[in-house]
Amino acid sequence: MFAGVEGARRKTEIWVVLPVFNEEARVARLIVHIDEALRDADLPYRIVLVDDGSRDRTRSIVLDCATRYPIRLLVHETNLGLGATLRDGLVAAADAAGDRDIIVTMDADDTHAPGLILRMVRMISEGHDVVIASRYLEGSRVVGVPLLRRALSRGGSWLFRVLFPIQGVKDYTCGYRAYRAAVVRDAIKRYGGAFLDQEGFQCMVDILLKLRRMHLIFGEAPIILRYDYKEGGSKMNVSRTVVDTLALIWRRRLGR
């Protein structure tokens, strides 16, 4: 636990939630990049890192980093999937954060530039409740993503905007987001265990569909996605994700 955080806080604090699975090649560099971006901007921060049953050296690397950076490590002894991993990180961050704090979720493979956190934090200070790093805004760049993945992503974006329109949102699936901590806490209270009950990558869509009912102000910031920095293959099973997402759309359209 982060003892005494509330009593000592004077500034808005950034809570970075990192779901991790077998990221020994990149996780240490990402932590350094987060520290550089936020420390240079004089933004106090904490990292809540959830290791989802990694079978490589990820856990030992993170423990070593935790001697130098403000990291809380949560561990799943077996792989439970992105949904459960993100849920545990968000719950831990929401429990410890103050209402004025900001919770950021991002991928742990260093394809998301931590410097974008500064823009998302500014947008929240300007009045947004949720800010999404979007691939579909002017100024966005996507490097190294296979053509099929890009086509499926754009098709999904169009479908979500038609079936579940959210003002200010084009990118429903990117996991790089910033939330007011109070919003996450209110959503957990409102939905309980159902707030994050999707196991796979479709959980990112489901979070937005649930927040959509809370009359929040959403915004987006253009992202430079460096998929070419990714080492090893994607952990996403594309066909499984498409099927699971279509099933989710069907259930939500039926009000389930």
Side-chain angles (χ1 to χ4, degrees), residues 29 32 98 173 212 223 227:
R29 277 174 284 187
V32 170
T173 56
R212 176 175 178 258
I223 185 176
Y227 206 76

Side-chain angles (χ1 to χ4, degrees), residues 35-91:
D35 178 74
E36 290 173 345
L38 299 183
R39 188 158 43 85
D40 286 352
D42 196 27
L43 286 173
Y45 76 94
R46 308 266 177 167
I47 296 174
V48 179
L49 191 148
V50 188
D51 177 19
D52 191 29
S54 293
R55 296 184 294 271
D56 61 3
R57 296 179 54 249
T58 294
R59 193 180 307 178
S60 62
I61 291 171
V62 172
L63 286 172
D64 178 66
C65 289
T67 64
R68 301 184 300 280
Y69 304 101
I71 298 172
R72 177 183 178 186
L73 174 63
L74 306 178
V75 174
H76 294 165
E77 294 300 336
T78 59
N79 184 258
L80 300 180
L82 178 61
T85 308
L86 193 61
R87 177 199 65 213
D88 290 350
L90 284 173
V91 168

Side-chain angles (χ1 to χ4, degrees), residues 154-165:
R154 284 194 172 274
S157 171
W158 175 84
L159 184 62
F160 296 133
R161 280 183 276 168
V162 169
L163 296 178
F164 306 100

Side-chain angles (χ1 to χ4, degrees), residues 93-187:
D95 282 347
D99 284 347
R100 295 181 61 249
D101 289 350
I102 296 169
I103 298 175
V104 173
T105 60
M106 61 191 303
D107 292 351
D109 55 8
D110 207 19
T111 58
H112 295 163
L116 186 57
I117 294 174
L118 310 183
R119 184 182 299 193
M120 294 194 288
V121 166
R122 186 175 70 247
M123 290 179 67
I124 286 181
S125 71
E126 291 169 350
H128 294 86
D129 296 304
V130 180
V131 179
I132 300 164
S134 175
R135 294 160 287 182
Y136 308 124
L137 295 181
E138 184 178 355
S140 297
R141 292 284 301 277
V142 176
V143 181
V145 176
L147 183 61
L148 176 61
R149 286 278 299 273
R150 294 177 69 172
L152 288 172
S153 178
R154 284 194 172 274
S157 171
W158 175 84
L159 184 62
F160 296 133
R161 280 183 276 168
V162 169
L163 296 178
F164 306 100
I166 302 174
Q167 185 174 359
V169 177
K170 294 181 178 180
D171 197 327
Y172 285 67
T173 56
C174 184
Y176 195 1
R177 299 175 182 170
Y179 308 85
R180 291 188 190 275
V183 165
V184 176
R185 193 156 37 245
D186 289 346

Side-chain angles (χ1 to χ4, degrees), residues 201-219:
F201 288 85
Q202 73 276 10
C203 69
M204 301 310 305
V205 176
D206 198 40
I207 288 173
L208 286 185
L209 297 188
K210 285 166 178 168
L211 294 180
R212 176 175 178 258
R213 305 172 188 171
M214 296 172 60
H215 308 292
L216 305 173
I217 298 176
F218 295 83

